[in-house]
Short mmCIF file of all heavy atoms in Angstrom, two decimals:
data_model
loop_
_atom_site.label_atom_id
_atom_site.label_comp_id
_atom_site.label_asym_id
_atom_site.label_seq_id
_atom_site.Cartn_x
_atom_site.Cartn_y
_atom_site.Cartn_z
N MET A 1 -11.28 142.87 136.13
CA MET A 1 -9.84 142.86 136.26
C MET A 1 -9.23 142.04 135.13
O MET A 1 -9.89 141.21 134.54
CB MET A 1 -9.40 142.32 137.64
CG MET A 1 -9.46 140.84 137.79
SD MET A 1 -8.73 140.17 139.31
CE MET A 1 -8.69 141.53 140.42
N ARG A 2 -7.99 142.35 134.86
CA ARG A 2 -7.28 141.62 133.81
C ARG A 2 -6.11 140.88 134.48
O ARG A 2 -5.35 141.47 135.25
CB ARG A 2 -6.76 142.60 132.77
CG ARG A 2 -6.07 141.96 131.60
CD ARG A 2 -5.76 143.02 130.56
NE ARG A 2 -5.06 142.44 129.43
CZ ARG A 2 -5.66 141.81 128.43
NH1 ARG A 2 -6.95 141.67 128.43
NH2 ARG A 2 -4.96 141.31 127.44
N VAL A 3 -6.00 139.59 134.18
CA VAL A 3 -4.98 138.75 134.81
C VAL A 3 -3.99 138.27 133.76
O VAL A 3 -4.39 137.80 132.69
CB VAL A 3 -5.62 137.52 135.50
CG1 VAL A 3 -4.56 136.63 136.13
CG2 VAL A 3 -6.64 137.97 136.55
N THR A 4 -2.72 138.42 134.05
CA THR A 4 -1.67 137.96 133.15
C THR A 4 -0.70 137.06 133.91
O THR A 4 -0.37 137.35 135.05
CB THR A 4 -0.87 139.17 132.60
OG1 THR A 4 -1.78 140.09 132.01
CG2 THR A 4 0.13 138.73 131.56
N VAL A 5 -0.29 135.98 133.28
CA VAL A 5 0.74 135.11 133.85
C VAL A 5 1.92 135.11 132.88
O VAL A 5 1.76 134.83 131.70
CB VAL A 5 0.23 133.68 134.06
CG1 VAL A 5 1.36 132.77 134.53
CG2 VAL A 5 -0.93 133.65 135.05
N ASP A 6 3.08 135.45 133.40
CA ASP A 6 4.29 135.46 132.58
C ASP A 6 4.77 134.01 132.38
O ASP A 6 5.23 133.37 133.33
CB ASP A 6 5.38 136.28 133.28
CG ASP A 6 6.62 136.44 132.40
OD1 ASP A 6 6.85 135.58 131.52
OD2 ASP A 6 7.36 137.42 132.63
N PRO A 7 4.66 133.48 131.16
CA PRO A 7 5.04 132.09 130.93
C PRO A 7 6.53 131.84 131.10
O PRO A 7 6.95 130.70 131.29
CB PRO A 7 4.59 131.83 129.48
CG PRO A 7 4.60 133.19 128.84
CD PRO A 7 4.22 134.16 129.92
N ASN A 8 7.31 132.91 131.05
CA ASN A 8 8.75 132.74 131.24
C ASN A 8 9.11 132.59 132.72
O ASN A 8 10.20 132.09 133.04
CB ASN A 8 9.50 133.93 130.65
CG ASN A 8 9.34 134.02 129.16
OD1 ASN A 8 9.47 133.01 128.46
ND2 ASN A 8 9.02 135.19 128.66
N LEU A 9 8.20 133.02 133.59
CA LEU A 9 8.44 132.91 135.03
C LEU A 9 7.72 131.71 135.63
O LEU A 9 8.23 131.07 136.56
CB LEU A 9 7.97 134.19 135.75
CG LEU A 9 8.75 135.46 135.46
CD1 LEU A 9 8.10 136.64 136.16
CD2 LEU A 9 10.20 135.32 135.90
N CYS A 10 6.52 131.42 135.14
CA CYS A 10 5.69 130.37 135.73
C CYS A 10 6.42 129.03 135.69
O CYS A 10 6.96 128.63 134.66
CB CYS A 10 4.38 130.26 134.96
SG CYS A 10 3.32 128.92 135.56
N GLN A 11 6.41 128.36 136.84
CA GLN A 11 7.06 127.05 136.94
C GLN A 11 6.05 125.96 137.31
O GLN A 11 6.43 124.92 137.85
CB GLN A 11 8.20 127.11 137.96
CG GLN A 11 9.30 128.06 137.52
CD GLN A 11 10.42 128.18 138.53
OE1 GLN A 11 10.36 127.61 139.62
NE2 GLN A 11 11.45 128.92 138.19
N SER A 12 4.76 126.24 137.06
CA SER A 12 3.69 125.26 137.26
C SER A 12 3.59 124.76 138.69
O SER A 12 3.25 123.60 138.92
CB SER A 12 3.85 124.07 136.29
OG SER A 12 3.85 124.52 134.96
N HIS A 13 3.87 125.64 139.64
CA HIS A 13 3.75 125.24 141.04
C HIS A 13 2.30 124.95 141.41
O HIS A 13 2.03 124.12 142.28
CB HIS A 13 4.28 126.33 141.97
CG HIS A 13 5.76 126.52 141.88
ND1 HIS A 13 6.65 125.61 142.36
CD2 HIS A 13 6.49 127.53 141.35
CE1 HIS A 13 7.89 126.05 142.15
NE2 HIS A 13 7.81 127.21 141.53
N GLY A 14 1.37 125.69 140.81
CA GLY A 14 -0.04 125.43 141.05
C GLY A 14 -0.63 126.11 142.27
O GLY A 14 -1.79 125.88 142.60
N GLN A 15 0.13 126.94 142.95
CA GLN A 15 -0.43 127.63 144.12
C GLN A 15 -1.62 128.49 143.72
O GLN A 15 -2.59 128.64 144.47
CB GLN A 15 0.64 128.51 144.78
CG GLN A 15 1.82 127.73 145.33
CD GLN A 15 1.41 126.72 146.38
OE1 GLN A 15 0.52 126.97 147.16
NE2 GLN A 15 2.05 125.57 146.37
N CYS A 16 -1.58 129.05 142.51
CA CYS A 16 -2.69 129.88 142.04
C CYS A 16 -3.96 129.07 141.88
O CYS A 16 -5.05 129.57 142.14
CB CYS A 16 -2.30 130.53 140.71
SG CYS A 16 -1.73 129.37 139.46
N VAL A 17 -3.84 127.83 141.48
CA VAL A 17 -5.02 126.97 141.29
C VAL A 17 -5.71 126.72 142.63
O VAL A 17 -6.93 126.73 142.72
CB VAL A 17 -4.61 125.64 140.63
CG1 VAL A 17 -5.82 124.71 140.49
CG2 VAL A 17 -3.97 125.89 139.27
N PHE A 18 -4.93 126.55 143.67
CA PHE A 18 -5.51 126.33 144.99
C PHE A 18 -6.08 127.62 145.56
O PHE A 18 -7.09 127.60 146.25
CB PHE A 18 -4.46 125.73 145.93
CG PHE A 18 -3.98 124.38 145.48
CD1 PHE A 18 -2.70 124.23 144.99
CD2 PHE A 18 -4.81 123.28 145.52
CE1 PHE A 18 -2.25 122.99 144.53
CE2 PHE A 18 -4.38 122.04 145.07
CZ PHE A 18 -3.10 121.89 144.59
N ALA A 19 -5.46 128.75 145.26
CA ALA A 19 -5.90 130.03 145.82
C ALA A 19 -7.15 130.56 145.11
O ALA A 19 -8.01 131.17 145.75
CB ALA A 19 -4.78 131.06 145.71
N ALA A 20 -7.25 130.35 143.81
CA ALA A 20 -8.36 130.91 143.03
C ALA A 20 -8.80 129.89 141.98
O ALA A 20 -8.60 130.08 140.77
CB ALA A 20 -7.92 132.22 142.37
N PRO A 21 -9.45 128.81 142.41
CA PRO A 21 -9.81 127.74 141.46
C PRO A 21 -10.85 128.14 140.43
O PRO A 21 -11.01 127.46 139.42
CB PRO A 21 -10.35 126.63 142.38
CG PRO A 21 -10.74 127.32 143.64
CD PRO A 21 -9.79 128.48 143.79
N ASP A 22 -11.56 129.25 140.65
CA ASP A 22 -12.51 129.72 139.64
C ASP A 22 -11.82 130.46 138.51
O ASP A 22 -12.43 130.74 137.47
CB ASP A 22 -13.54 130.66 140.28
CG ASP A 22 -14.44 129.91 141.24
OD1 ASP A 22 -15.02 128.88 140.82
OD2 ASP A 22 -14.54 130.34 142.40
N VAL A 23 -10.55 130.79 138.70
CA VAL A 23 -9.82 131.57 137.70
C VAL A 23 -8.65 130.77 137.11
O VAL A 23 -8.40 130.84 135.91
CB VAL A 23 -9.29 132.88 138.33
CG1 VAL A 23 -8.45 133.68 137.33
CG2 VAL A 23 -10.46 133.72 138.85
N PHE A 24 -7.98 129.98 137.94
CA PHE A 24 -6.83 129.20 137.50
C PHE A 24 -7.18 127.72 137.54
O PHE A 24 -7.87 127.26 138.45
CB PHE A 24 -5.61 129.45 138.40
CG PHE A 24 -5.14 130.87 138.42
CD1 PHE A 24 -5.66 131.79 139.31
CD2 PHE A 24 -4.17 131.31 137.53
CE1 PHE A 24 -5.23 133.11 139.34
CE2 PHE A 24 -3.73 132.63 137.53
CZ PHE A 24 -4.26 133.53 138.44
N SER A 25 -6.68 126.97 136.59
CA SER A 25 -6.88 125.52 136.59
C SER A 25 -5.72 124.87 135.84
O SER A 25 -4.89 125.56 135.23
CB SER A 25 -8.22 125.16 135.93
OG SER A 25 -8.24 125.63 134.60
N PHE A 26 -5.69 123.55 135.89
CA PHE A 26 -4.68 122.82 135.13
C PHE A 26 -5.32 122.26 133.86
O PHE A 26 -6.45 121.78 133.90
CB PHE A 26 -4.12 121.65 135.95
CG PHE A 26 -3.27 122.07 137.11
CD1 PHE A 26 -3.69 121.85 138.41
CD2 PHE A 26 -2.04 122.67 136.90
CE1 PHE A 26 -2.91 122.24 139.49
CE2 PHE A 26 -1.24 123.04 137.97
CZ PHE A 26 -1.68 122.82 139.26
N ASP A 27 -4.58 122.30 132.76
CA ASP A 27 -5.09 121.66 131.56
C ASP A 27 -4.76 120.17 131.59
O ASP A 27 -4.24 119.66 132.58
CB ASP A 27 -4.56 122.37 130.29
CG ASP A 27 -3.06 122.20 130.08
OD1 ASP A 27 -2.43 121.35 130.77
OD2 ASP A 27 -2.51 122.91 129.22
N GLU A 28 -5.05 119.47 130.51
CA GLU A 28 -4.87 118.02 130.50
C GLU A 28 -3.40 117.60 130.61
O GLU A 28 -3.09 116.46 130.94
CB GLU A 28 -5.49 117.41 129.23
CG GLU A 28 -4.93 117.92 127.93
CD GLU A 28 -5.56 119.23 127.46
OE1 GLU A 28 -6.41 119.81 128.16
OE2 GLU A 28 -5.17 119.69 126.37
N ASP A 29 -2.50 118.56 130.38
CA ASP A 29 -1.07 118.28 130.52
C ASP A 29 -0.52 118.81 131.85
O ASP A 29 0.70 118.93 132.02
CB ASP A 29 -0.29 118.91 129.36
CG ASP A 29 -0.68 118.30 128.03
OD1 ASP A 29 -0.86 117.07 127.97
OD2 ASP A 29 -0.83 119.06 127.05
N ASP A 30 -1.44 119.14 132.76
CA ASP A 30 -1.08 119.69 134.07
C ASP A 30 -0.33 121.02 133.96
O ASP A 30 0.49 121.36 134.82
CB ASP A 30 -0.25 118.69 134.89
CG ASP A 30 -1.11 117.57 135.43
OD1 ASP A 30 -2.33 117.79 135.60
OD2 ASP A 30 -0.56 116.49 135.70
N TYR A 31 -0.63 121.76 132.90
CA TYR A 31 -0.05 123.10 132.76
C TYR A 31 -1.12 124.09 133.21
O TYR A 31 -2.28 123.98 132.83
CB TYR A 31 0.35 123.37 131.31
CG TYR A 31 1.13 124.65 131.17
CD1 TYR A 31 2.49 124.68 131.46
CD2 TYR A 31 0.50 125.82 130.80
CE1 TYR A 31 3.20 125.86 131.38
CE2 TYR A 31 1.21 127.02 130.72
CZ TYR A 31 2.56 127.02 131.01
OH TYR A 31 3.25 128.20 130.94
N PRO A 32 -0.75 125.07 134.04
CA PRO A 32 -1.76 126.00 134.53
C PRO A 32 -2.29 126.92 133.43
O PRO A 32 -1.52 127.46 132.63
CB PRO A 32 -1.02 126.79 135.61
CG PRO A 32 0.42 126.61 135.32
CD PRO A 32 0.57 125.30 134.62
N VAL A 33 -3.60 127.07 133.40
CA VAL A 33 -4.27 128.00 132.49
C VAL A 33 -5.16 128.89 133.34
O VAL A 33 -5.49 128.56 134.48
CB VAL A 33 -5.10 127.24 131.43
CG1 VAL A 33 -4.19 126.47 130.50
CG2 VAL A 33 -6.11 126.32 132.07
N HIS A 34 -5.54 130.04 132.78
CA HIS A 34 -6.34 130.96 133.58
C HIS A 34 -7.30 131.77 132.73
O HIS A 34 -7.12 131.90 131.52
CB HIS A 34 -5.43 131.90 134.38
CG HIS A 34 -4.71 132.90 133.52
ND1 HIS A 34 -3.63 132.57 132.74
CD2 HIS A 34 -4.93 134.22 133.32
CE1 HIS A 34 -3.21 133.65 132.10
NE2 HIS A 34 -3.99 134.67 132.43
N ASP A 35 -8.32 132.30 133.40
CA ASP A 35 -9.26 133.23 132.78
C ASP A 35 -8.61 134.60 132.83
O ASP A 35 -8.35 135.14 133.91
CB ASP A 35 -10.57 133.20 133.58
CG ASP A 35 -11.61 134.17 133.03
OD1 ASP A 35 -11.31 134.94 132.11
OD2 ASP A 35 -12.73 134.14 133.56
N ALA A 36 -8.35 135.21 131.68
CA ALA A 36 -7.63 136.49 131.64
C ALA A 36 -8.50 137.67 132.05
O ALA A 36 -7.97 138.73 132.38
CB ALA A 36 -7.07 136.73 130.24
N ASN A 37 -9.81 137.49 132.02
CA ASN A 37 -10.72 138.58 132.39
C ASN A 37 -11.79 138.09 133.35
O ASN A 37 -12.98 138.10 133.01
CB ASN A 37 -11.37 139.16 131.13
CG ASN A 37 -10.37 139.84 130.23
OD1 ASN A 37 -9.88 140.91 130.53
ND2 ASN A 37 -10.04 139.19 129.13
N PRO A 38 -11.40 137.67 134.53
CA PRO A 38 -12.39 137.11 135.46
C PRO A 38 -13.29 138.19 136.06
O PRO A 38 -12.94 139.38 136.07
CB PRO A 38 -11.51 136.47 136.54
CG PRO A 38 -10.28 137.30 136.55
CD PRO A 38 -10.06 137.68 135.10
N SER A 39 -14.42 137.74 136.56
CA SER A 39 -15.32 138.64 137.27
C SER A 39 -14.62 139.26 138.47
O SER A 39 -13.80 138.62 139.13
CB SER A 39 -16.54 137.84 137.75
OG SER A 39 -17.25 138.58 138.72
N ASP A 40 -14.98 140.50 138.76
CA ASP A 40 -14.41 141.15 139.94
C ASP A 40 -14.80 140.42 141.22
O ASP A 40 -14.20 140.64 142.27
CB ASP A 40 -14.86 142.61 140.01
CG ASP A 40 -14.17 143.47 138.94
OD1 ASP A 40 -13.16 143.01 138.39
OD2 ASP A 40 -14.65 144.58 138.70
N ALA A 41 -15.80 139.56 141.14
CA ALA A 41 -16.20 138.78 142.31
C ALA A 41 -15.05 137.89 142.79
O ALA A 41 -15.02 137.49 143.95
CB ALA A 41 -17.42 137.92 141.97
N TYR A 42 -14.12 137.59 141.89
CA TYR A 42 -12.99 136.72 142.25
C TYR A 42 -11.74 137.51 142.61
O TYR A 42 -10.66 136.93 142.79
CB TYR A 42 -12.66 135.77 141.09
CG TYR A 42 -13.82 134.90 140.68
CD1 TYR A 42 -14.21 134.79 139.35
CD2 TYR A 42 -14.54 134.17 141.63
CE1 TYR A 42 -15.28 134.00 138.97
CE2 TYR A 42 -15.61 133.37 141.26
CZ TYR A 42 -15.97 133.30 139.93
OH TYR A 42 -17.03 132.51 139.56
N ALA A 43 -11.86 138.82 142.71
CA ALA A 43 -10.67 139.67 142.90
C ALA A 43 -9.87 139.28 144.14
O ALA A 43 -8.63 139.24 144.08
CB ALA A 43 -11.09 141.13 142.98
N GLU A 44 -10.55 139.01 145.22
CA GLU A 44 -9.82 138.68 146.46
C GLU A 44 -9.03 137.39 146.29
O GLU A 44 -7.87 137.28 146.72
CB GLU A 44 -10.80 138.58 147.63
CG GLU A 44 -10.11 138.61 148.99
CD GLU A 44 -9.28 139.87 149.18
OE1 GLU A 44 -9.75 140.97 148.81
OE2 GLU A 44 -8.16 139.76 149.70
N HIS A 45 -9.65 136.40 145.64
CA HIS A 45 -8.96 135.13 145.42
C HIS A 45 -7.75 135.32 144.50
O HIS A 45 -6.70 134.72 144.70
CB HIS A 45 -9.92 134.10 144.82
CG HIS A 45 -10.93 133.59 145.80
ND1 HIS A 45 -11.95 132.76 145.44
CD2 HIS A 45 -11.06 133.81 147.13
CE1 HIS A 45 -12.69 132.48 146.52
NE2 HIS A 45 -12.17 133.11 147.54
N VAL A 46 -7.93 136.16 143.48
CA VAL A 46 -6.82 136.40 142.55
C VAL A 46 -5.68 137.11 143.28
O VAL A 46 -4.50 136.78 143.08
CB VAL A 46 -7.28 137.22 141.33
CG1 VAL A 46 -6.09 137.61 140.47
CG2 VAL A 46 -8.28 136.41 140.51
N ARG A 47 -6.01 138.06 144.14
CA ARG A 47 -4.94 138.73 144.91
C ARG A 47 -4.21 137.73 145.80
O ARG A 47 -2.99 137.82 145.97
CB ARG A 47 -5.54 139.86 145.76
CG ARG A 47 -5.94 141.06 144.94
CD ARG A 47 -6.28 142.26 145.82
NE ARG A 47 -7.05 143.23 145.03
CZ ARG A 47 -8.37 143.32 145.06
NH1 ARG A 47 -9.08 142.56 145.86
NH2 ARG A 47 -8.98 144.20 144.30
N THR A 48 -4.94 136.79 146.34
CA THR A 48 -4.29 135.74 147.14
C THR A 48 -3.36 134.92 146.26
O THR A 48 -2.23 134.60 146.66
CB THR A 48 -5.34 134.84 147.80
OG1 THR A 48 -6.17 135.63 148.64
CG2 THR A 48 -4.69 133.73 148.62
N ALA A 49 -3.81 134.60 145.05
CA ALA A 49 -2.97 133.84 144.12
C ALA A 49 -1.69 134.61 143.80
O ALA A 49 -0.60 134.03 143.76
CB ALA A 49 -3.75 133.54 142.83
N VAL A 50 -1.83 135.91 143.59
CA VAL A 50 -0.65 136.74 143.30
C VAL A 50 0.34 136.64 144.46
O VAL A 50 1.55 136.46 144.26
CB VAL A 50 -1.06 138.21 143.08
CG1 VAL A 50 0.17 139.12 143.04
CG2 VAL A 50 -1.86 138.35 141.79
N SER A 51 -0.17 136.72 145.67
CA SER A 51 0.73 136.71 146.83
C SER A 51 1.34 135.33 147.06
O SER A 51 2.42 135.22 147.63
CB SER A 51 -0.01 137.20 148.08
OG SER A 51 -0.98 136.28 148.47
N MET A 52 0.64 134.28 146.62
CA MET A 52 1.14 132.92 146.86
C MET A 52 2.09 132.43 145.78
O MET A 52 2.83 131.47 145.99
CB MET A 52 -0.04 131.96 146.99
CG MET A 52 -0.83 132.16 148.26
SD MET A 52 -2.23 131.03 148.39
CE MET A 52 -1.37 129.48 148.65
N CYS A 53 2.05 133.04 144.61
CA CYS A 53 2.92 132.58 143.52
C CYS A 53 4.39 132.77 143.91
O CYS A 53 4.83 133.89 144.14
CB CYS A 53 2.63 133.34 142.24
SG CYS A 53 3.71 132.83 140.88
N PRO A 54 5.14 131.68 144.00
CA PRO A 54 6.52 131.77 144.49
C PRO A 54 7.47 132.50 143.55
O PRO A 54 8.56 132.89 143.98
CB PRO A 54 6.93 130.31 144.69
CG PRO A 54 6.03 129.54 143.79
CD PRO A 54 4.74 130.30 143.72
N VAL A 55 7.08 132.65 142.30
CA VAL A 55 7.99 133.32 141.34
C VAL A 55 7.41 134.65 140.85
O VAL A 55 7.93 135.26 139.91
CB VAL A 55 8.31 132.39 140.15
CG1 VAL A 55 9.10 131.18 140.61
CG2 VAL A 55 7.05 131.97 139.42
N ARG A 56 6.32 135.10 141.48
CA ARG A 56 5.69 136.39 141.13
C ARG A 56 5.38 136.49 139.64
O ARG A 56 5.66 137.50 139.00
CB ARG A 56 6.61 137.56 141.55
CG ARG A 56 6.94 137.57 143.01
CD ARG A 56 5.74 137.95 143.82
NE ARG A 56 6.06 138.12 145.24
CZ ARG A 56 5.19 137.93 146.22
NH1 ARG A 56 3.97 137.53 145.94
NH2 ARG A 56 5.54 138.12 147.45
N ALA A 57 4.79 135.42 139.11
CA ALA A 57 4.50 135.39 137.68
C ALA A 57 3.16 136.04 137.33
O ALA A 57 2.91 136.32 136.16
CB ALA A 57 4.50 133.94 137.19
N ILE A 58 2.32 136.27 138.34
CA ILE A 58 0.95 136.76 138.07
C ILE A 58 0.89 138.27 138.29
O ILE A 58 1.34 138.77 139.31
CB ILE A 58 -0.06 136.09 139.00
CG1 ILE A 58 0.07 134.57 138.95
CG2 ILE A 58 -1.48 136.52 138.64
CD1 ILE A 58 -0.67 133.85 140.08
N THR A 59 0.31 138.98 137.32
CA THR A 59 0.05 140.40 137.50
C THR A 59 -1.43 140.66 137.23
O THR A 59 -2.07 139.96 136.44
CB THR A 59 0.89 141.28 136.56
OG1 THR A 59 0.68 140.86 135.22
CG2 THR A 59 2.37 141.17 136.89
N ILE A 60 -1.98 141.66 137.92
CA ILE A 60 -3.37 142.03 137.72
C ILE A 60 -3.47 143.52 137.45
O ILE A 60 -2.66 144.31 137.93
CB ILE A 60 -4.25 141.65 138.93
CG1 ILE A 60 -3.72 142.25 140.23
CG2 ILE A 60 -4.37 140.15 139.05
CD1 ILE A 60 -4.61 141.97 141.42
N GLU A 61 -4.46 143.87 136.64
CA GLU A 61 -4.75 145.27 136.34
C GLU A 61 -6.24 145.46 136.51
O GLU A 61 -7.03 144.56 136.19
CB GLU A 61 -4.42 145.60 134.89
CG GLU A 61 -3.00 145.37 134.46
CD GLU A 61 -2.89 145.46 132.94
OE1 GLU A 61 -3.47 146.39 132.35
OE2 GLU A 61 -2.25 144.59 132.35
N ALA A 62 -6.61 146.63 136.99
CA ALA A 62 -8.04 146.95 137.07
C ALA A 62 -8.54 147.22 135.66
O ALA A 62 -7.79 147.62 134.78
CB ALA A 62 -8.25 148.17 137.95
N ARG A 63 -9.83 146.99 135.45
CA ARG A 63 -10.43 147.31 134.16
C ARG A 63 -10.48 148.82 133.99
O ARG A 63 -10.50 149.56 134.95
CB ARG A 63 -11.85 146.80 134.09
CG ARG A 63 -11.97 145.32 133.98
CD ARG A 63 -13.44 144.98 133.80
NE ARG A 63 -13.73 143.59 134.14
CZ ARG A 63 -13.63 142.59 133.29
NH1 ARG A 63 -13.24 142.81 132.07
NH2 ARG A 63 -13.89 141.36 133.67
N GLY A 64 -10.56 149.25 132.75
CA GLY A 64 -10.75 150.66 132.46
C GLY A 64 -12.14 151.09 132.88
O GLY A 64 -12.95 150.28 133.30
N PRO A 65 -12.46 152.38 132.74
CA PRO A 65 -13.74 152.91 133.20
C PRO A 65 -14.94 152.27 132.54
O PRO A 65 -16.01 152.24 133.11
CB PRO A 65 -13.67 154.40 132.86
CG PRO A 65 -12.35 154.66 132.25
CD PRO A 65 -11.57 153.38 132.21
N ARG A 66 -14.80 151.76 131.32
CA ARG A 66 -15.93 151.13 130.64
C ARG A 66 -15.71 149.64 130.47
O ARG A 66 -16.29 149.02 129.60
CB ARG A 66 -16.15 151.80 129.29
CG ARG A 66 -16.63 153.23 129.45
CD ARG A 66 -17.04 153.81 128.14
NE ARG A 66 -15.94 153.80 127.17
CZ ARG A 66 -16.08 154.14 125.91
NH1 ARG A 66 -17.25 154.50 125.45
NH2 ARG A 66 -15.05 154.12 125.10
N GLY A 67 -14.88 149.05 131.31
CA GLY A 67 -14.70 147.61 131.27
C GLY A 67 -13.67 147.15 130.27
O GLY A 67 -13.41 145.96 130.17
N ALA A 68 -13.06 148.05 129.54
CA ALA A 68 -12.03 147.65 128.58
C ALA A 68 -10.66 148.00 129.14
O ALA A 68 -10.37 149.15 129.40
CB ALA A 68 -12.23 148.40 127.27
N ALA A 69 -9.87 146.99 129.38
CA ALA A 69 -8.53 147.24 129.89
C ALA A 69 -7.52 146.40 129.15
O ALA A 69 -7.76 145.32 128.78
CB ALA A 69 -8.44 146.94 131.37
S1 SF4 B 1 1.51 129.81 141.31
FE1 SF4 B 1 2.77 130.99 139.87
S2 SF4 B 1 4.35 129.57 139.19
FE2 SF4 B 1 2.71 128.38 140.10
S3 SF4 B 1 1.37 127.80 138.41
FE3 SF4 B 1 0.54 129.66 139.30
S4 SF4 B 1 1.50 131.31 138.08
FE4 SF4 B 1 2.68 129.48 137.71
#
């Protein structure tokens, strides 16, 4: 899956970090960063992060048929 966070919407609430800590984390300045191409094993956690983000800044796309999306 491919994960995108809109920096114009994100307000650093951090709900995504709690929902999917293997994909989202805080950098040294407490700004959220994420793995843009996480394993599908984390898909459920990422979907939870999408639903928990209060400003709907996170979008996900499935990978293409050969893993390129
Ligand atoms: S939950 Fe949404 S607003 Fe909060 S840090 Fe994550 S992407 Fe940004």
